[in-house]
Amino acid sequence: QMWEEAIALGKELAEQYENEMFDYEQLSELLRKQAQFYENIVKVIRPKPDYFAVGYYGQGFPTFIRNKVFIYRGKEYERREDFEARLLTQFPNAEKMKTTSPPGDDIKNSSGQYIQCFTVKPKLDLPSKFHRPVSEQIVSFYRVNEVQRFEYSRPVRKGEKNPDNEFANMWIERTIYVTAYKLPGILRWFEVKSVFMVEISPLENAIETMQLTNDKINNMVQQHLNDPNLPINPLSMLLNGIVDPAVMGGFANYEKAFFTEKYMHEHPEDHDKIEKLKDLIAWQIPFLAEGIRIHGEKVTEALRPFHERMEACFRQLKDKVEKQYGVRAVPSSLDDRRGSRPRSMVRSFTMPSSSRPLSVASVSSISSDSTPSRPGSDGFVLEPLLPKKMHSRSQDKLDKDDLDKDKKEKKKEKRNSKHQEIFDKEFKSTDISLQQSEAVILSETISPLRPQRPKSQVINVMSSERRFSVSPSPPSSQVTPPPITPRTKLSFSIQSNLELNGMSSSDIPDVPPPLPLKGSMADYG
């Protein structure tokens, strides 16, 4: 499931197929695979494996692992207990150490085998191409892959213990492990090449905890916006654990510990950090508001009382925070995701398909003086709907004497072609719709391979009714309309276009001399 790595290799192969081997069949197959990989990255939720630090201490181990620390990548959904059991089967005489602190020389120089194992957290090292905020579904891969730095945090108390507030003197001793290579690689474990330790003050720990909480809310909100079918239970537990006054002791304890005159007087250098912590507390409100809005849309009737209680608790929390730390606006990224639909969901049509008229070959040829005609096919063609004035003006060029409506209806009944009657109805609906909109729509073209009316009927209708005939065939030589660009048709069949349309070459005026006699009609193709 490391599709990001597969895409990188696929791009190398695509370069070879396209520019070196010119194997377009393999290239098309490869690009289809890449498209599927990109879709998987966005839609498929991948399990995040745990990483474990393992130290082998004592002279009883082989020299290549003796008194060294390694970082292992666990299997999917593998807990630390299962990993330890798997590890100890390889060294049945080894003794498991109970502490996570580095051992002394007495253990390292002993003749026994001692194994130390604990969970470490991979440190995100985002590639430089992500220079702007991206979806959490994309970033989540790099949280547990292509990682080389790992950290282990251990709480340490300094000074007098405060029974009322444990956060005031809670320091964090953080050990950073750097491996020889990035994990995962050709192995699932690599040796640790460097180790260093940093201390995190109680205030810095509070800032880090608030930042992680805000990120967690924001990530879960984004997941529910991207996929409405996600279960609601994790969101319920997360939101309730923050807004419920019984559990809300988190930043209330920060206020008691750090937002006092005594602390500010003793630590004047922490003024900027205190302001940052206040800002993070204020930013939590819009994230919570968005999460509760989504929860309200997806909650079932059985959980409606739970949601209403959570909303009441949130209102109290919101009033308190906004009064003390100010109001923050919802980030634009969340707002955009909620307010706009994906481009692929926007419909291309300006009217429903039932009322959408069929496109007319003559309509596009009338507009050919301003819009060049493209070779027609049986697919979809973008054709501009012309205003009604354009139709009447072009019609006047062919026939300046319009007959009244009664005569038109009588003439219509005498027409022999059933297709012409159906077409006239469609043409009327076209005229009505032309008054309403001049938008460019995606319309369906009439098949250019439909049977043609006899030439004599076309001439008779044009001479008797004095109106232009709607026919995709070129105009007769007896009537000379304004110069128009005929819609040429692309034909890939063995037969010629003239045969497909049911016409012979003698029906077309101004044709060049006939081709030399060929042995097969396919030679005209």
Side-chain angles (χ1 to χ4, degrees), residues 121-399:
K121 181 182 175 184
K123 202 167 179 61
L124 174 65
D125 185 15
L126 209 56
S128 57
K129 65 180 180 180
F130 297 115
H131 55 274
R132 57 182 294 273
V134 294
S135 169
E136 173 61 23
Q137 191 72 2
I138 298 173
V139 176
S140 62
F141 172 80
Y142 298 97
R143 296 191 186 278
V144 292
N145 295 284
E146 295 188 14
V147 284
Q148 198 169 1
R149 293 160 60 91
F150 303 85
E151 58 185 36
Y152 174 75
S153 301
R154 190 163 60 94
V156 177
R157 296 193 181 277
K158 292 186 177 182
E160 297 179 1
K161 185 176 179 179
N162 187 351
D164 298 329
N165 195 337
E166 60 180 6
F167 293 95
N169 56 3
M170 177 74 73
W171 288 70
I172 300 295
E173 187 180 271
R174 180 163 295 162
T175 307
I176 310 294
Y177 301 91
V178 182
T179 57
Y181 307 98
K182 289 185 176 181
L183 279 165
I186 58 172
L187 298 176
R188 296 179 70 94
W189 54 288
F190 285 125
E191 183 183 352
V192 173
K193 287 298 183 182
S194 63
V195 181
F196 59 94
M197 188 180 299
V198 293
E199 283 190 340
I200 309 296
S201 68
L203 180 57
E204 290 171 341
N205 183 34
I207 292 172
E208 195 175 279
T209 304
M210 283 300 302
Q211 184 67 60
L212 289 174
T213 304
N214 289 357
D215 289 345
K216 193 172 183 181
I217 303 170
N218 186 21
N219 293 339
M220 190 162 288
V221 165
Q222 284 190 23
Q223 289 174 13
H224 280 270
L225 288 173
N226 292 333
D227 186 2
N229 298 321
L230 285 178
I232 198 175
N233 295 342
L235 182 64
S236 302
M237 291 188 291
L238 177 64
L239 296 176
N240 188 59
I242 296 171
V243 303
D244 192 343
V247 192
M248 197 189 65
F251 71 78
N253 285 331
Y254 298 154
E255 292 172 341
K256 296 175 186 175
F258 310 118
F259 298 169
T260 61
E261 292 291 336
K262 179 183 178 183
Y263 185 88
M264 292 182 181
H265 180 71
E266 293 176 354
H267 305 87
E269 71 280 359
D270 288 345
H271 177 74
D272 292 341
K273 294 178 182 178
I274 290 174
E275 292 301 317
K276 184 176 181 180
L277 180 58
K278 290 180 179 179
D279 188 58
L280 288 171
I281 294 172
W283 270 113
Q284 196 174 78
I285 298 302
F287 291 127
L288 288 171
E290 184 70 9
I292 288 176
R293 182 193 68 80
I294 294 172
H295 190 272
E297 292 175 355
K298 301 175 70 172
V299 72
T300 60
E301 287 302 319
L303 290 176
R304 181 63 61 181
F306 167 77
H307 177 76
E308 291 173 354
R309 180 180 179 278
M310 193 163 61
E311 275 189 326
C313 295
F314 173 69
R315 281 194 293 269
Q316 296 177 5
L317 177 66
K318 182 180 178 182
D319 293 341
K320 175 192 173 187
V321 171
E322 290 184 348
K323 187 183 295 183
Q324 292 183 359
Y325 309 119
V327 181
R328 301 293 187 274
V330 178
S332 59
S333 61
L334 286 177
D335 216 23
D336 292 343
R337 283 174 179 272
R338 182 179 59 180
S340 62
R341 292 188 298 172
R343 289 181 181 270
S344 59
M345 300 295 292
V346 179
R347 295 195 55 185
S348 303
F349 303 115
T350 57
M351 62 178 77
S353 58
S354 58
S355 62
R356 207 164 60 241
L358 295 174
S359 68
V360 187
S362 59
V363 170
S364 62
S365 59
I366 286 171
S367 64
S368 62
D369 54 346
S370 60
T371 306
S373 296
R374 295 181 60 188
S377 64
D378 285 337
F380 290 100
V381 183
L382 277 173
E383 295 181 352
L385 283 178
L386 300 178
K388 194 173 182 180
K389 290 181 180 178
M390 289 287 290
H391 282 273
S392 60
R393 194 169 64 192
S394 301
Q395 199 167 329
D396 287 343
K397 290 181 182 178
L398 297 175
D399 181 9

Side-chain angles (χ1 to χ4, degrees), residues 348-503:
S348 303
F349 303 115
T350 57
M351 62 178 77
S353 58
S354 58
S355 62
R356 207 164 60 241
L358 295 174
S359 68
V360 187
S362 59
V363 170
S364 62
S365 59
I366 286 171
S367 64
S368 62
D369 54 346
S370 60
T371 306
S373 296
R374 295 181 60 188
S377 64
D378 285 337
F380 290 100
V381 183
L382 277 173
E383 295 181 352
L385 283 178
L386 300 178
K388 194 173 182 180
K389 290 181 180 178
M390 289 287 290
H391 282 273
S392 60
R393 194 169 64 192
S394 301
Q395 199 167 329
D396 287 343
K397 290 181 182 178
L398 297 175
D399 181 9
K400 295 183 179 179
D401 301 322
D402 264 346
L403 298 176
D404 54 12
K405 285 187 178 180
D406 295 335
K407 289 185 178 181
K408 289 180 183 176
E409 295 298 329
K410 290 179 182 178
K411 297 285 185 182
K412 205 178 290 182
E413 294 174 1
K414 295 179 182 180
R415 288 180 183 158
N416 297 325
S417 173
K418 188 176 180 181
H419 171 75
Q420 186 68 29
E421 290 181 2
I422 297 171
F423 184 79
D424 281 340
K425 292 178 185 178
E426 294 295 337
F427 190 71
K428 269 190 175 182
S429 65
T430 307
D431 270 354
I432 294 171
S433 63
L434 290 176
Q435 295 176 348
Q436 300 173 356
S437 170
E438 300 182 13
V440 175
I441 70 168
L442 193 64
S443 59
E444 302 172 16
T445 60
I446 295 178
S447 170
L449 304 182
R450 61 191 167 89
Q452 302 294 318
R453 293 175 56 203
K455 183 181 173 184
S456 59
Q457 288 187 15
V458 177
I459 298 173
N460 290 338
V461 171
M462 292 182 65
S463 58
S464 61
E465 293 184 7
R466 307 287 297 161
R467 61 179 290 176
F468 75 101
S469 172
V470 182
S471 173
S473 63
S476 172
S477 59
Q478 299 177 9
V479 181
T480 57
I484 59 177
T485 305
R487 290 174 63 92
T488 60
K489 292 173 283 295
L490 289 175
S491 176
F492 299 99
S493 62
I494 296 178
Q495 295 176 315
S496 65
N497 286 339
L498 301 178
E499 269 202 344
L500 289 174
N501 285 330
M503 298 172 62

Side-chain angles (χ1 to χ4, degrees), residues 97-110:
M97 295 178 62
K98 301 287 195 263
T99 63
T100 58
S101 55
D105 291 338
D106 54 339
I107 291 182
K108 290 181 179 180
N109 296 327
S110 67

